[in-house]
Amino acid sequence: MSFLLYYVHRAEEADVIVVLIDPLNRGFLSENSKYIDPKKTIVAYSKSDLLHKREIEEISNEEILFVSSLSGEGIDNLKSKIVEIALKRFY
């Protein structure tokens, strides 16, 4: 059983799931994407302040957020996405 699958099963009743990935573990997402429910899961890479622009472009798509707790970059986007998904699930 994958690491993520274990926690996804435990969080089945959750309204919103945030998967925060260390950018050094790039294989994590490709290995576990089949377990992610895009209707209620937010995928975010942490430590975006440590990534070069080229690295972000390589792994970026419209579904992935980049956040930095050090600089605060992307935190507002993450909060907005949490609210957006929660509202869709309730209404």
Side-chain angles (χ1 to χ4, degrees), residues 7-22:
Y7 286 102
V8 167
H9 282 298
R10 293 183 54 100
E12 283 179 350
E13 300 300 317
D15 295 311
V16 180
I17 299 171
V18 177
V19 177
L20 190 61
I21 303 170
D22 186 310

Side-chain angles (χ1 to χ4, degrees), residues 1-2 5 10 12-13 30 35-36 39 43 49-51 55 57 59 62 65 74-75:
M1 177 181 286
S2 101
L5 181 59
R10 293 183 54 100
E12 283 179 350
E13 300 300 317
S30 61
Y35 305 118
I36 295 174
K39 293 178 184 167
V43 176
D49 55 287
L50 300 178
L51 296 173
E55 292 175 298
E57 289 171 354
I59 51 181
E62 61 188 47
L65 301 178
I75 299 297

